[in-house]
């Protein structure tokens, strides 16, 4: 951020209109690399040039956002995207709507090459974590305090404090990321976190970036293998897929992708194998499947064959459909699935 | 539950078709009592009579649900509404869909006169709590363990364990219930929980019943006064109103209502008073306002005059609009609002 400020200052001191050069995020410059299994932003650059009248407003917005973020960091504070948008009003910075300010924050991510969470901008919390992991907080007012994340059986919300905490100690050996809150509670209650030595993460639908970041950190810093457990439908599959391969929208942030994570179910083929209560796929589901069949992230196994299986059986099932065999059956199911991966 | 089983057994032993008599929950039997400021179920009864072929399926479903709940309690376990629905499949109990099994659970609440949370049936978690409150868990595997709810600055999810915990110790003097997660995080980060000695509750939109139950318990067991802080729009108002007056749907459960709680904002009149960035009310907003103007829960102040004010100015604002005066401004705002109430 200081380099940014200095470069602007230099431009002005040299009698030039200041400008900002950052990676181009338009679709022509975002490529999927099949060998590495992830998206990458190419070498094209985009420029916000204050000399160009069409860029001037955008330039101004970018500089104010950088200033806002600088103050957050200096004061060890955090903010939501929404707070940032409203704060701009107090400075007379003119964002048409929050979509516009969100886009500028993404520009700043691309410029700095780090996710917004590392400069204090967080989304609303909706994911949660539970398991034998002792963390130490680094946020304002809690520096040096530590907590073990198995101490509240309802789970801990994953917010700024946990995302940016230091990992101190764990006896866990794996991570299980779970689509629904009901199933997350079930795995805690069935003591599966203990019997399988697992840290559990509740994704709450499509994984928020803070949850993806925690999974990445657990995998990388602690060497824990991560398994993803979703509903048996194309949306559940895609939740898992984005954790493994990333998304086009966050191609500029490599730190959110965990190539090593495995989707373990519920598979389309499990619907028959485990005789699960199932519903018919809707037209929207079938359209999504056709869309994913063309997606480069779905060329490998198990992705491709499970998509084709969904298309064949035209059925979907929820994680909790496993309860038809009793509330504890999920434990047996997960053990079978995870042993297959070792 | 044992009485229920005994009464069925007696009917059979006496050569009679067994039947179940429970309070009638249809709208003709749910009354709003203006003096007490809450809904009440009247004296009419409804009967599930196994002799009547049209009741037989319903009778069977009710008995299975009572059996399911009995096993949960016996094993000190919990279940979601969804798990209950799927578990029924394993017993050949025929629920058309989850709506049908949810309705039977509500019948059981009416029969037993307690909310489903007290017999182990919980919704998905989405509310959270933070503040100086030491609780002791009573759930399976965590009996006797205690935790202070200010130990994780991201907040604690409110699930079965916290809802049913024992309150051990607090230095807090008030409770602030907050509509949005962004604002909840802000109040933690601004140390408002400390400077105002407040326990903070994140409602996550329309308050889930577990959050309403915790608010009620904090008010009743610890004598803490509760303040509700929402967006300035008819939906935000109604979130607050349901905490104070309850809802028609849960008229049969008195334990969820906190008549003593106060809605402190954001008021329609605050939009002008604090010059907040505002948006136009939509047609749906205006329709909701007209609907609420006819609602018996909106006859008193501040409800009525704020509805009329919304109608006049035709504007809405979010809680986070306060950030236009800086991220810390909310602290000043809340102090002004809460001091007015003492």
């Amino acid at each position: 951020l200081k380099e940014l400020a200095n470069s602007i200052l230099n431009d002005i001191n040299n009698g030039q209109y200041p400008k900002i050069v950052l990676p181009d995020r338009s679709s022509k410059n975002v490529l999927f690399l099949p060998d590495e299994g992830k998206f990458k932003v190419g070498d094209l650059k985009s420029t916000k040039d204050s000399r160009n009248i069409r860029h001037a407003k955008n330039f101004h917005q970018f500089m104010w956002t950088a200033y806002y973020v600088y103050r957050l960091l200096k004061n060890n504070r955090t903010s939501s995207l929404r707070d940032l948008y409203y704060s701009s009003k107090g400075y007379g910075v003119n964002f048409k709507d929050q979509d516009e300010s969100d886009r500028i924050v993404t520009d700043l991510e691309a410029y700095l090459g780090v996710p917004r969470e590392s400069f204090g901008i967080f989304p609303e919390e909706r994911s949660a974590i539970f398991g034998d992991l002792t963390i130490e907080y680094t946020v304002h007012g809690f520096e040096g305090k530590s907590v073990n994340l198995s101490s509240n059986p309802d789970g801990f919300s994953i917010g700024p404090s946990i995302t940016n905490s230091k990992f101190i100690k764990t006896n866990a050996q794996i991570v299980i990321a779970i689509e629904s809150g009901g199933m997350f509670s079930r795995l805690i209650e069935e003591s599966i976190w203990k019997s399988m030595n697992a840290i559990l993460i509740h994704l709450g639908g499509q994984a928020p970036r803070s949850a993806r970041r925690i999974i990445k950190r657990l995998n990388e810093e602690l060497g824990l293998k991560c398994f993803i457990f979703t509903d048996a439908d194309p949306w559940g599959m895609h939740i898992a897929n984005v954790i493994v391969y990333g998304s086009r929208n966050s191609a500029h942030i490599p730190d959110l992708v965990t190539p090593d994570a495995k989707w373990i179910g519920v598979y389309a083929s499990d619907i028959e194998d485990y005789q699960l209560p199932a519903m018919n796929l809707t037209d929207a589901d079938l359209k999504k499947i056709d869309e994913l069949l063309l997606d480069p992230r779905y060329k490998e196994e198990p992705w491709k064959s499970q998509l084709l299986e969904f298309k064949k059986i035209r059925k979907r099932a929820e994680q909790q459909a496993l309860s038809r065999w009793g509330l504890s059956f999920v434990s047996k199911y997960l053990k079978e699935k995870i042993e297959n991966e070792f």
Side-chain angles (χ1 to χ4, degrees), chain A:
Chain A
L1 287 169
K2 282 185 179 165
E3 274 173 34
L4 168 65
N6 280 329
S7 89
I8 301 293
L9 212 57
N10 280 340
D11 284 346
I12 296 173
N13 286 338
N14 295 334
Q16 295 175 332
Y17 280 94
K19 59 175 186 283
I20 302 155
V21 180
L22 68 165
D24 181 351
R25 292 189 300 108
S26 67
S27 59
K28 67 172 184 297
N29 197 38
V30 175
L31 319 156
F32 187 74
L33 308 176
D35 289 351
E36 300 183 34
K38 61 185 181 193
F39 287 100
K40 190 179 182 299
V41 175
D43 293 332
L44 299 178
K45 298 288 171 191
S46 110
T47 302
K48 296 179 197 295
D49 188 341
S50 63
R51 177 210 281 280
N52 184 332
I53 190 74
R54 284 182 300 121
H55 290 190
K57 185 175 155 197
N58 205 266
F59 177 90
H60 176 210
Q61 291 171 334
F62 187 92
M63 289 308 296
W64 177 81
T65 304
Y67 164 73
Y68 181 86
V69 161
Y70 178 74
R71 281 194 320 157
L72 282 182
L73 289 170
K74 217 174 149 181
N75 298 316
N76 197 8
R77 290 298 167 91
T78 68
S79 160
S80 67
L81 287 165
R82 201 141 194 82
D83 276 318
L84 181 145
Y85 168 66
Y86 280 117
S87 293
S88 68
K89 307 272 179 190
Y91 289 82
V93 177
N94 192 10
F95 288 112
K96 203 173 71 219
D97 49 29
Q98 198 195 319
D99 280 351
E100 197 172 48
S101 59
D102 288 357
R103 265 199 307 280
I104 294 286
V105 172
T106 313
D107 280 348
L108 190 60
E109 290 185 322
Y111 181 87
L112 298 172
V114 293
R116 59 171 181 261
E117 289 79 2
S118 37
F119 49 77
I121 309 277
F122 283 82
E124 284 218 3
E125 298 158 24
R126 64 190 162 82
S127 59
I129 187 167
F130 178 89
D132 175 19
L133 173 66
T134 303
I135 61 167
E136 186 181 302
Y137 295 110
T138 59
V139 295
H140 179 63
F142 287 85
E143 295 90 345
K145 289 193 183 165
S146 71
V147 75
N148 183 287
L149 297 180
S150 69
S151 61
N152 173 37
D154 289 341
F156 289 77
S157 305
I158 301 179
S161 318
I162 288 183
T163 311
N164 289 336
S165 67
K166 280 188 248 178
F167 295 161
I168 303 296
K169 188 171 182 298
T170 185
N171 291 310
Q173 290 171 323
I174 60 171
V175 175
I176 306 176
I178 302 142
E179 178 174 352
S180 78
M183 186 51 83
F184 173 74
S185 303
R186 172 114 337 272
L187 299 193
I188 296 174
E189 189 163 302
E190 297 296 327
S191 295
I192 286 175
W193 64 282
K194 249 188 206 161
S195 62
M196 300 188 71
N197 270 326
I199 293 171
L200 307 177
I201 292 181
H202 168 210
L203 301 170
Q206 190 65 50
R209 289 171 27 161
S210 46
R212 285 160 63 195
R213 191 131 185 268
I214 283 281
I215 291 170
K216 170 77 171 175
R217 289 189 56 201
L218 290 168
N219 178 254
E220 208 168 68
E221 296 175 29
L222 302 179
L224 303 184
K225 193 144 176 154
C226 174
F227 302 96
I228 312 158
F229 179 31
T230 68
D231 286 342
D233 61 37
W235 316 95
M237 266 184 105
H238 199 57
I239 289 171
N241 190 283
V242 166
I243 293 173
V244 178
Y245 293 101
S247 72
R248 192 169 279 277
N249 287 338
S250 51
H252 59 292
I253 312 167
D255 266 4
L256 299 177
V257 180
T258 310
D260 193 33
K262 293 274 181 246
W263 179 47
I264 50 165
V266 178
Y267 286 178
S269 52
D270 290 339
I271 294 176
E272 238 182 83
D273 292 353
Y274 292 89
Q275 297 171 51
L276 301 180
M279 289 154 284
N280 293 326
L281 288 174
T282 63
D283 290 345
D285 295 336
L286 291 165
K287 210 179 131 212
K288 182 76 180 174
I289 290 172
D290 286 335
E291 191 190 309
L292 296 181
L293 279 167
L294 300 173
D295 191 309
R297 291 168 287 182
Y298 282 81
K299 296 284 172 244
E300 310 279 328
E301 291 307 324
W303 310 101
K304 194 169 177 181
S305 59
Q306 289 302 325
L307 280 179
L308 294 171
E309 179 72 14
F310 275 121
K311 211 168 161 167
K312 196 179 105 200
I313 62 173
R314 299 173 80 91
K315 293 278 181 193
R316 58 190 300 271
E318 298 184 13
Q319 306 184 277
Q320 285 171 288
L322 293 163
S323 295
R324 82 153 294 174
W325 302 112
L327 292 177
S328 303
F329 180 74
V330 62
S331 163
K332 185 165 173 291
Y333 174 86
L334 285 175
K335 275 175 193 157
E336 283 174 18
K337 288 286 189 157
I338 289 176
E339 274 162 19
N340 275 344
E341 298 291 337
F342 279 103

